[in-house]
Amino acid sequence: VSYLPERIEYRPPETAVSMADIDAKARADALKLEGNTFLKEKAFEKAEECYTKAIELDSTVEAFYTNRCLVRTNQGKFDAGIDDCLAALKMNPRSAKAFGRMGSTQYQAGRYELSSEAYTKALECDPGNVTYQQGLEAAQGRM
């Protein structure tokens, strides 16, 4: 006599990650690496395309947005770059990198007061960061 049910039905928890999700995350990470290579080569259009595809596959990774911001800033797409920073900040409201990229983008757009505000926030999140401090001083020098 067996006390076990004939068939045990396994139901994964609702938070379980499917193989498709794992595959999408791996492809997104690969696209980020490809985008990074294009960024180093200053192939901004191709880099932007890679980061955008990565975001389409996995919209939960802050770095995809901050990297795309950098590319868009280099293309002169300042408002789109700011939108990427804001998306990253929705995920991580204390993202020094997102605030720093926002500061740089605002500076390059000639919005020095907004740049100063963003760099100040970046320094609140990452005190002592030399890059953010230099950005803040440059922005304040233009106000």
Side-chain angles (χ1 to χ4, degrees):
V1 175
S2 173
Y3 295 100
L4 296 175
E6 257 183 57
R7 183 171 171 225
I8 298 175
E9 196 173 319
Y10 173 73
R11 292 185 189 167
E14 290 180 24
T15 58
V17 177
S18 72
M19 290 305 289
D21 290 338
I22 291 170
D23 185 48
K25 288 181 183 301
R27 286 183 293 152
D29 286 339
L31 282 162
K32 176 190 173 225
L33 295 175
E34 188 178 352
N36 292 350
T37 300
F38 286 130
L39 179 60
K40 288 176 188 169
E41 296 170 355
K42 298 187 189 272
F44 300 126
E45 192 171 306
K46 290 180 179 179
E48 180 182 19
E49 185 178 315
C50 288
Y51 297 133
T52 298
K53 286 180 181 177
I55 290 166
E56 289 169 0
L57 290 169
D58 184 359
S59 63
T60 66
V61 180
E62 177 186 332
F64 298 165
Y65 293 95
T66 57
N67 287 9
R68 189 171 69 175
C69 169
L70 180 60
V71 168
R72 288 177 164 178
T73 299
N74 279 291
Q75 294 172 302
K77 299 177 180 179
F78 304 121
D79 291 335
I82 296 300
D83 288 344
D84 284 335
C85 291
L86 294 172
L89 288 166
K90 282 184 183 175
M91 285 179 259
N92 178 5
R94 301 238 349 118
S95 172
K97 182 169 268 189
F99 282 121
R101 293 272 163 90
M102 185 181 293
S104 175
T105 301
Q106 296 289 25
Y107 183 89
Q108 291 182 54
R111 303 173 194 149
Y112 305 115
E113 190 170 325
L114 293 173
S115 174
S116 176
E117 289 174 18
Y119 278 125
T120 298
K121 289 280 192 188
L123 285 165
E124 288 173 10
C125 300
D126 186 6
N129 182 299
V130 175
T131 302
Y132 302 151
Q133 185 61 46
Q134 290 172 340
L136 175 61
E137 291 168 7
Q140 288 174 335
R142 291 291 192 97
M143 291 171 38

